[in-house]
Amino acid sequence: ADAALTVTVPVTVHSAGDVIVTGHLVSSKTYDLSGGKLEVNGDSTCVDMSHSGGELTGAAAWTFSGVFAWTDGPWTGTGVTRSAATGTLLIQGAADKVINVRAVESAAATWTDGDIKMSGASTWTVLETHTFDSQADGNSIDSVSGAPKLIVDGTFVKTSGAINPLNVLVHVTATGTFHAQAGSLDINGNSALEGTLVTNAGSEVAFPTGTHDMHGTISGDGV
């Protein structure tokens, strides 16, 4: 059915339950996915969400406008996990954050722990005028298989973690800004950079491996 279902109470999906959305789900409360599967095949929205287990999948867009806390559980399918302009994505907890095929469009995002492992044709787009804040120390954005991409139209900034480098191992295209405020931001996959690289004193944006096509600007006091 294509009708919209509006939910005005918190929803929790546990390990024994699967929810398959073929129409349009509109949730004005917190959606908690801790097990089972949420399969979204009709464009749907929520305000806040907690994803601590189970699978977010499907062929349509799941758009959040509040706080989305992601600690565990894969994102799969041909759909999109999308942040509205007011949304904030929190990537936290030591578990790997697995993205297979799915597209991700993030507004404000803060990453504190757990490697991001991308495969297939998955893409992560940092939206224009918004910031992806990496506070992880020694973590990586990995290319597991296929040709995943990180697309930076806004700002990707490393704000902490001065001991171990942040490794970006997927293909990167950027018209926005890469900014190293602390430690080393290592771009190890191939890249096409038409935006801005900024380094603070004592920090660096490094290119240990890969082929890099750079047509942007470089500024700052780092390396």
Side-chain angles (χ1 to χ4, degrees), residues 85 107-108 126-131 153-155:
V126 180
L127 297 172
E128 190 174 1
T129 75
H130 295 285
T131 298
D153 294 331
T155 298

Side-chain angles (χ1 to χ4, degrees), residues 22-195:
T22 57
H24 307 284
L25 175 65
V26 180
S27 175
S28 62
K29 299 294 183 179
T30 299
Y31 200 104
D32 182 6
L33 178 59
S34 58
K37 177 174 67 176
L38 171 60
E39 182 176 336
V40 181
N41 294 317
D43 290 347
S44 299
T45 62
C46 71
V47 179
D48 299 327
M49 182 162 177
S50 172
H51 187 187
S52 58
E55 180 181 6
L56 174 59
T57 188
W62 180 260
T63 302
F64 61 95
S65 58
V67 176
F68 190 137
W70 185 20
T71 56
D72 200 359
W75 294 355
T76 67
T78 57
V80 183
T81 302
R82 176 179 293 144
S83 173
T86 56
T88 298
L89 176 61
L90 304 178
I91 309 159
Q92 53 198 17
D96 290 341
K97 311 302 183 291
V98 174
I99 305 169
N100 184 14
V101 180
R102 196 169 185 86
V104 180
E105 298 175 0
S106 65
T110 300
W111 176 27
T112 54
D113 202 2
D115 291 341
I116 297 173
K117 295 188 175 294
M118 302 176 67
S119 59
S122 58
T123 59
W124 189 305
T125 302
V126 180
L127 297 172
E128 190 174 1
T129 75
H130 295 285
T131 298
F132 185 108
D133 179 6
S134 172
Q135 301 176 10
D137 187 12
N139 290 106
S140 60
I141 302 177
D142 292 333
S143 176
V144 177
S145 64
K149 292 182 179 180
L150 173 64
I151 303 167
V152 179
D153 294 331
T155 298
F156 187 106
V157 58
K158 185 177 188 290
T159 58
S160 62
I163 298 175
N164 299 302
L166 165 65
N167 288 294
V168 179
L169 298 162
V170 298
H171 182 87
V172 175
T173 61
T175 58
T177 299
F178 272 99
H179 188 176
Q181 293 185 5
S184 182
L185 198 170
D186 291 4
I187 300 177
N188 286 291
N190 296 335
S191 68
L193 305 176
E194 299 180 0

Side-chain angles (χ1 to χ4, degrees), residues 12-20 31 33-38 54-55:
T12 301
V13 181
H14 295 294
S15 59
D18 292 344
V19 173
I20 300 175
Y31 200 104
L33 178 59
S34 58
K37 177 174 67 176
L38 171 60
E55 180 181 6

